[in-house]
Amino acid sequence: MRRVHLEAAEDHVQRLARESDPLGAVKELIWNALDADATRVDVVLHRSPLGAVERVTVRDDGTGMAPEALAAAFDRIGGSWKKWTAGTLLKQRTLHGSNGQGRLRAYALGDHIRWTTVADGVGGRSRTEVAAHAGARNDFLIGDSVPTREATGTLVEAWGKQSPRLDRLPLRANHRRLTTELAPYLTAYPEVSVVYDGVAVDPRTSVRHTSVYPLTFAGGDAQLKVIEWSAAVDRELHLCDGGGIPVGTVDAGIRAPGFDFTAYVLWPPMAEHVSDVHLGEGHDSEVTALLAVAREQLRAHFRSRDDDRRRELVQRWQAEGSYPYDDAAAGPDRATFDLVATAVHRHIPRRGNQRRATLALLREVVRARPERVAAVLDEIFKLSDDDRGQLDRILGDTRGIRAAATVGDRLAAIATLRRLRTADPDRLGAVLAEHTWVFGERHGLLTADRQLDAVVDRHAGPDLLLARARREHERRQHLVVGTVDTAGAKELTQLVSYAEAVAGDAGFRGIRVDWDVWLLAGRVDDDLRPAVRDPHRPRGCVLDRVGLRVWVRDWAEVLNECTDRVRFYEQGVTGYPDRARLP
């Protein structure tokens, strides 16, 4: 047995050990194994009867450490053989470490460390043990090598440390952190397997979507790889060399509500710029320029993915019958609902009836009180900051949402009127009474009036659909609407006589009144068309006097004109169809 002394200050060795980061130590030991051409690495967390982690072992089937190389491996910091080769010795896989500091990280896992390594050396295959203790971090005891026929590989054991940080190693979140860091490497080398605490680290089992983009910046060309996960992960941007080996990690630096992802910037010279990576983004460097380009591409990626996710969710809701619109409904009202509903989709109940009711209520809130949507949903669902921020951006222009609601209401009313005209004439008047804008926007604020009802009841005329009034200062506005199946010369004569009678009724003598008397017909005879299409009067106006206008209109024409008017309003006011995007 021989003792090897590491020529470095004790406090420097302690800093390099980073004992507050046991998961980082596990990562480093895994990378050391992979750099030794291992195809399988097993990390085992040994627990005490009370569940505390009392020992950590990392076993690999790599090439091990030959006896003649052990002294050089443990007696200095830096100077690793990895600096002088582009890949692993046998398989020429991408290398991770080159600073020779990995062995010191094991102190984060235990006070007692033992390496048992089997390797082929000058004298053949042998097994050697190396031991160390935290009481003398700079000293390593290398045992005598023993000939063996065992398979090559290395077992690292760490024990004798009690720490709450060690007890957190079994957390599922740590398995996910390993998965996100190792994902590019394990994807590039599918023959490699890593098992952590009995569970394989396999990105394929939790990857939801993967995209790769070329990047061009002042320092040359690089790649951005974006992996979206099916489980929650820390949103990180890993700075990697061309082989996907991470050199450093920074915050992703973008908002992407609803997505769990990891991004990887792959740039072959990244390892040569490790100092720039560690200095951060507060100074000008090629790494800083590359990060700016990568983040811009990330934003573009998630704008596109948000559109994809919205379509997928809507299609799923439609297929299961939960979506509160039929296929014919379109426009900004529906588009706004889609944006809001998909922004909070994680909070919507999964059960069919509950989801259907929630989506229907959400539609009504969006249409009726758009300025309150974010507050209402926050109160019900306790939204995250990301979700609330996205809703605020979507709902920033409530004027447009109110316009969308108006469009939706009017298109629905027009569809109802088309159906009732022939299917249920008794309800036709009640629906028209709520939608007097059908006869022109100036009639949009009319209401029932007892005095007007008494006047029209005194005079015989066509079948009455409604009579409505409005008073403005000292002037009144009256709208009277009747209906017939067919309008011809006879019906026109009767209509004019009826209009003159109600307009001249003594009940309104001395009062200034503007009368509009309409006759809606299922069909207008050809002999009446010259009168309804007189170029000197509005279309359908057959009599235009001071205080009295008489109209004969075809039902279908009126509803078609209303539809055109609503569509024009829709396009001009709401910015239809796309109103909001992720940043």
Side-chain angles (χ1 to χ4, degrees), residues 493-508:
T493 300
Q494 293 174 342
L495 177 66
V496 171
S497 297
Y498 172 71
E500 291 174 337
V502 296
D505 189 274
F508 290 107

Side-chain angles (χ1 to χ4, degrees), residues 508-538:
F508 290 107
R509 189 166 298 165
I511 300 175
R512 298 177 62 186
V513 180
D514 290 328
W515 290 85
D516 279 277
V517 180
W518 283 64
L519 182 65
L520 294 173
R523 185 175 66 85
V524 176
D525 281 347
D526 292 341
D527 60 349
L528 205 61
R529 294 199 176 277
V532 301
R533 295 184 178 178
D534 189 318
H536 301 292
R537 296 190 296 266

Side-chain angles (χ1 to χ4, degrees), residues 461-513:
D463 291 339
L464 186 67
L465 286 177
L466 80 155
R468 290 292 185 267
R470 182 179 72 175
R471 186 171 67 183
E472 186 173 349
H473 302 297
E474 298 303 320
R475 196 177 190 90
R476 295 172 67 96
Q477 174 190 352
H478 289 166
L479 171 68
V480 179
V481 181
T483 182
V484 293
D485 291 333
T486 303
K490 176 182 175 182
E491 286 74 22
L492 175 59
T493 300
Q494 293 174 342
L495 177 66
V496 171
S497 297
Y498 172 71
E500 291 174 337
V502 296
D505 189 274
F508 290 107
R509 189 166 298 165
I511 300 175
R512 298 177 62 186
V513 180

